[in-house]
PDB file of all heavy atoms in Angstrom:
ATOM      1  N   ASN A 241      10.090  13.158   3.299  1.00  0.00           N
ATOM      2  CA  ASN A 241       8.693  12.790   3.528  1.00  0.00           C
ATOM      3  C   ASN A 241       7.946  13.723   4.469  1.00  0.00           C
ATOM      4  O   ASN A 241       6.723  13.766   4.442  1.00  0.00           O
ATOM      5  CB  ASN A 241       8.609  11.362   4.078  1.00  0.00           C
ATOM      6  CG  ASN A 241       9.152  10.347   3.082  1.00  0.00           C
ATOM      7  OD1 ASN A 241       8.909  10.458   1.888  1.00  0.00           O
ATOM      8  ND2 ASN A 241       9.903   9.374   3.574  1.00  0.00           N
ATOM      9  N   ASP A 242       8.659  14.445   5.292  1.00  0.00           N
ATOM     10  CA  ASP A 242       8.001  15.319   6.265  1.00  0.00           C
ATOM     11  C   ASP A 242       8.802  16.610   6.368  1.00  0.00           C
ATOM     12  O   ASP A 242       9.403  16.908   7.399  1.00  0.00           O
ATOM     13  CB  ASP A 242       7.915  14.623   7.629  1.00  0.00           C
ATOM     14  CG  ASP A 242       7.120  15.443   8.640  1.00  0.00           C
ATOM     15  OD1 ASP A 242       6.330  16.291   8.205  1.00  0.00           O
ATOM     16  OD2 ASP A 242       7.314  15.242   9.852  1.00  0.00           O
ATOM     17  N   ASN A 243       8.799  17.363   5.280  1.00  0.00           N
ATOM     18  CA  ASN A 243       9.677  18.529   5.219  1.00  0.00           C
ATOM     19  C   ASN A 243       9.023  19.611   4.358  1.00  0.00           C
ATOM     20  O   ASN A 243       9.556  20.041   3.343  1.00  0.00           O
ATOM     21  CB  ASN A 243      11.043  18.131   4.632  1.00  0.00           C
ATOM     22  CG  ASN A 243      12.125  19.127   4.953  1.00  0.00           C
ATOM     23  OD1 ASN A 243      11.856  20.217   5.442  1.00  0.00           O
ATOM     24  ND2 ASN A 243      13.353  18.755   4.669  1.00  0.00           N
ATOM     25  N   ASN A 244       7.854  20.051   4.797  1.00  0.00           N
ATOM     26  CA  ASN A 244       7.069  20.995   4.002  1.00  0.00           C
ATOM     27  C   ASN A 244       7.809  22.301   3.736  1.00  0.00           C
ATOM     28  O   ASN A 244       7.716  22.865   2.641  1.00  0.00           O
ATOM     29  CB  ASN A 244       5.752  21.293   4.721  1.00  0.00           C
ATOM     30  CG  ASN A 244       4.908  20.049   4.909  1.00  0.00           C
ATOM     31  OD1 ASN A 244       4.547  19.396   3.949  1.00  0.00           O
ATOM     32  ND2 ASN A 244       4.614  19.707   6.152  1.00  0.00           N
ATOM     33  N   ASP A 245       8.531  22.799   4.757  1.00  0.00           N
ATOM     34  CA  ASP A 245       9.220  24.077   4.591  1.00  0.00           C
ATOM     35  C   ASP A 245      10.230  24.029   3.455  1.00  0.00           C
ATOM     36  O   ASP A 245      10.371  24.994   2.691  1.00  0.00           O
ATOM     37  CB  ASP A 245       9.935  24.471   5.894  1.00  0.00           C
ATOM     38  CG  ASP A 245       8.979  25.102   6.894  1.00  0.00           C
ATOM     39  OD1 ASP A 245       7.849  25.434   6.493  1.00  0.00           O
ATOM     40  OD2 ASP A 245       9.354  25.248   8.065  1.00  0.00           O
ATOM     41  N   ALA A 246      10.949  22.913   3.343  1.00  0.00           N
ATOM     42  CA  ALA A 246      11.956  22.809   2.284  1.00  0.00           C
ATOM     43  C   ALA A 246      11.300  22.829   0.901  1.00  0.00           C
ATOM     44  O   ALA A 246      11.771  23.511  -0.017  1.00  0.00           O
ATOM     45  CB  ALA A 246      12.781  21.542   2.460  1.00  0.00           C
ATOM     46  N   TYR A 247      10.193  22.096   0.747  1.00  0.00           N
ATOM     47  CA  TYR A 247       9.486  22.105  -0.545  1.00  0.00           C
ATOM     48  C   TYR A 247       8.919  23.500  -0.838  1.00  0.00           C
ATOM     49  O   TYR A 247       8.913  23.965  -1.984  1.00  0.00           O
ATOM     50  CB  TYR A 247       8.349  21.079  -0.533  1.00  0.00           C
ATOM     51  CG  TYR A 247       8.829  19.654  -0.660  1.00  0.00           C
ATOM     52  CD1 TYR A 247       8.916  18.827   0.452  1.00  0.00           C
ATOM     53  CD2 TYR A 247       9.204  19.131  -1.892  1.00  0.00           C
ATOM     54  CE1 TYR A 247       9.370  17.513   0.352  1.00  0.00           C
ATOM     55  CE2 TYR A 247       9.649  17.824  -2.019  1.00  0.00           C
ATOM     56  CZ  TYR A 247       9.728  17.020  -0.887  1.00  0.00           C
ATOM     57  OH  TYR A 247      10.176  15.717  -1.007  1.00  0.00           O
ATOM     58  N   ARG A 248       8.461  24.161   0.205  1.00  0.00           N
ATOM     59  CA  ARG A 248       7.920  25.512   0.031  1.00  0.00           C
ATOM     60  C   ARG A 248       9.008  26.486  -0.440  1.00  0.00           C
ATOM     61  O   ARG A 248       8.807  27.242  -1.395  1.00  0.00           O
ATOM     62  CB  ARG A 248       7.332  25.987   1.361  1.00  0.00           C
ATOM     63  CG  ARG A 248       6.739  27.378   1.335  1.00  0.00           C
ATOM     64  CD  ARG A 248       6.367  27.807   2.736  1.00  0.00           C
ATOM     65  NE  ARG A 248       5.573  29.018   2.736  1.00  0.00           N
ATOM     66  CZ  ARG A 248       5.226  29.669   3.842  1.00  0.00           C
ATOM     67  NH1 ARG A 248       5.601  29.217   5.017  1.00  0.00           N
ATOM     68  NH2 ARG A 248       4.503  30.771   3.783  1.00  0.00           N
ATOM     69  N   ILE A 249      10.155  26.460   0.241  1.00  0.00           N
ATOM     70  CA  ILE A 249      11.260  27.367  -0.112  1.00  0.00           C
ATOM     71  C   ILE A 249      11.747  27.075  -1.523  1.00  0.00           C
ATOM     72  O   ILE A 249      11.990  27.997  -2.323  1.00  0.00           O
ATOM     73  CB  ILE A 249      12.401  27.231   0.915  1.00  0.00           C
ATOM     74  CG1 ILE A 249      11.946  27.765   2.278  1.00  0.00           C
ATOM     75  CG2 ILE A 249      13.664  27.948   0.455  1.00  0.00           C
ATOM     76  CD1 ILE A 249      12.796  27.293   3.440  1.00  0.00           C
ATOM     77  N   ARG A 250      11.877  25.786  -1.850  1.00  0.00           N
ATOM     78  CA  ARG A 250      12.343  25.423  -3.188  1.00  0.00           C
ATOM     79  C   ARG A 250      11.321  25.838  -4.247  1.00  0.00           C
ATOM     80  O   ARG A 250      11.679  26.360  -5.317  1.00  0.00           O
ATOM     81  CB  ARG A 250      12.621  23.926  -3.271  1.00  0.00           C
ATOM     82  CG  ARG A 250      13.323  23.527  -4.569  1.00  0.00           C
ATOM     83  CD  ARG A 250      13.743  22.074  -4.556  1.00  0.00           C
ATOM     84  NE  ARG A 250      12.610  21.169  -4.658  1.00  0.00           N
ATOM     85  CZ  ARG A 250      12.713  19.836  -4.713  1.00  0.00           C
ATOM     86  NH1 ARG A 250      13.914  19.273  -4.649  1.00  0.00           N
ATOM     87  NH2 ARG A 250      11.646  19.076  -4.817  1.00  0.00           N
ATOM     88  N   GLY A 251      10.046  25.643  -3.938  1.00  0.00           N
ATOM     89  CA  GLY A 251       9.000  26.014  -4.894  1.00  0.00           C
ATOM     90  C   GLY A 251       8.975  27.510  -5.160  1.00  0.00           C
ATOM     91  O   GLY A 251       8.878  27.949  -6.309  1.00  0.00           O
ATOM     92  N   ILE A 252       9.069  28.307  -4.104  1.00  0.00           N
ATOM     93  CA  ILE A 252       9.065  29.769  -4.269  1.00  0.00           C
ATOM     94  C   ILE A 252      10.286  30.202  -5.082  1.00  0.00           C
ATOM     95  O   ILE A 252      10.191  31.055  -5.975  1.00  0.00           O
ATOM     96  CB  ILE A 252       9.047  30.462  -2.896  1.00  0.00           C
ATOM     97  CG1 ILE A 252       7.685  30.252  -2.216  1.00  0.00           C
ATOM     98  CG2 ILE A 252       9.332  31.961  -3.036  1.00  0.00           C
ATOM     99  CD1 ILE A 252       7.629  30.707  -0.773  1.00  0.00           C
ATOM    100  N   SER A 253      11.438  29.622  -4.782  1.00  0.00           N
ATOM    101  CA  SER A 253      12.666  29.988  -5.499  1.00  0.00           C
ATOM    102  C   SER A 253      12.545  29.657  -6.982  1.00  0.00           C
ATOM    103  O   SER A 253      12.935  30.455  -7.850  1.00  0.00           O
ATOM    104  CB  SER A 253      13.866  29.257  -4.896  1.00  0.00           C
ATOM    105  OG  SER A 253      14.058  29.623  -3.544  1.00  0.00           O
TER     106      SER A 253
END
Side-chain angles (χ1 to χ4, degrees):
N241 297 319
D242 185 21
N243 199 349
N244 299 301
D245 279 348
Y247 285 101
R248 180 188 191 187
I249 292 162
R250 189 173 71 178
I252 290 171
S253 298

